[in-house]
Amino acid sequence: SAVISQKPSRDICQRGTSLTIQCQVDSQVTMMFWYRQQPGQSLTLIATANQGSEATYESGFVIDKFPISRPNLTFSTLTVSNMSPEDSSIYLCSEQGADTEAFFGQGTRLTVV
Amino acid sequence: GDSVTQMEGPVTLSEEAFLTINCTYTATGYPSLFWYVQYPGEGLQLLLKATKADDKGSNKGFEATYRKETTSFHLEKGSVQVSDSAVYFCALGNTGGFKTIFGAGTRLFVKA
């Protein structure tokens, strides 16, 4: 099973600023995923990050707002840009092989004021 | 498309009570089914899984059986503890794919 370290664990940010969230996996993985979990809600997939190619975004999410990097097979970042209070959520990264369970980082609790 | 429906919460139980959280799914093919648990302030972690019909997943006293005929994967525990208080997510893994589809989550409160 993969161990995923995600940071920061929480942050309070001013509106209009950007925050970059980092995820480090203890082994090489093909696919990494970024989710948003709004208060009291389930997980919504933001994008899938593959090494060596652009991320694939889900409907309702765009690269300008949530740019993603995947420089190698063990690391990825998600940036939340030009933040507004509506971006206050928990952001989670995960990795998953084909037909197997997902492993998650501990999440980043973001509050935008 | 594929989807997961689970019972709404919150569910409040007394310690040692019996727990059932219902989960049904819609899917093409033969998906794997999962229950994840999210403790306060933490990410999700796998609780149990089943990869084919009639499989029973179990862990920490929790059980769920993959029922293809009723497209269900209900979570049960015979005697809950205060430490089981968390949010439980039923999930479906696409056949041959990498995506996981999550249910809405059910929050469980267990009172001492």
Side-chain angles (χ1 to χ4, degrees):
Chain A
S1 63
V3 176
I4 302 178
S5 301
Q6 183 175 342
K7 61 180 182 181
S9 58
R10 59 178 61 229
D11 208 341
I12 301 173
C13 300
Q14 296 292 321
R15 69 177 66 202
T17 63
S18 298
L19 175 72
T20 296
I21 303 166
Q22 300 180 2
C23 267
Q24 179 76 51
V25 188
D26 68 346
S27 59
Q28 294 185 339
V29 298
T30 304
M31 312 282 280
M32 291 185 72
F33 302 86
W34 288 96
Y35 291 89
R36 181 174 71 186
Q37 185 181 21
Q38 294 177 303
Q41 303 295 314
S42 186
L43 281 70
T44 301
L45 182 64
I46 298 171
T48 303
N50 297 326
Q51 193 266 334
S53 64
E54 287 213 354
T56 302
Y57 288 82
E58 298 298 305
S59 176
F61 297 96
V62 294
I63 187 171
D64 290 346
K65 176 67 175 177
F66 297 102
I68 287 171
S69 78
R70 184 82 202 275
N72 57 53
L73 291 173
T74 63
F75 187 78
S76 181
T77 68
L78 169 77
T79 299
V80 186
S81 302
N82 188 24
M83 288 184 286
S84 67
E86 291 70 36
D87 295 320
S88 297
S89 286
I90 298 172
Y91 292 85
L92 294 151
C93 64
S94 80
E95 75 90 6
Q96 179 183 347
D99 295 325
T100 66
E101 64 266 30
F103 297 94
F104 287 85
Q106 60 268 52
T108 297
R109 184 178 295 272
L110 170 63
T111 303
V112 183
V113 296
Chain B
D2 296 354
S3 65
V4 176
T5 303
Q6 63 182 103
M7 64 186 286
E8 288 189 22
V11 174
T12 302
L13 296 173
S14 297
E15 206 164 25
E16 298 184 3
F18 184 85
L19 168 72
T20 300
I21 301 178
N22 290 337
C23 172
T24 58
Y25 67 91
T26 302
T28 55
Y30 303 95
S32 296
L33 299 174
F34 308 93
W35 278 99
Y36 289 87
V37 59
Q38 185 177 34
Y39 297 104
E42 298 184 13
L44 277 71
Q45 55 186 274
L46 180 69
L47 180 60
L48 54 84
K49 69 177 181 180
T51 57
K52 60 183 188 298
D54 300 325
D55 267 3
K56 177 186 285 188
S58 62
N59 186 25
K60 300 181 181 179
F62 291 89
E63 294 183 339
T65 301
Y66 189 166
R67 301 285 189 200
K68 193 170 188 298
E69 64 276 14
T70 55
T71 61
S72 65
F73 193 54
H74 304 321
L75 182 68
E76 297 182 336
K77 186 174 185 181
S79 176
V80 294
Q81 306 300 311
V82 172
S83 57
D84 293 326
S85 298
V87 181
Y88 293 82
F89 293 92
C90 186
L92 176 157
N94 283 12
T95 304
F98 293 85
K99 281 188 180 180
T100 298
I101 298 171
F102 291 89
T106 302
R107 184 175 294 276
L108 171 66
F109 293 103
V110 181
K111 304 180 296 184

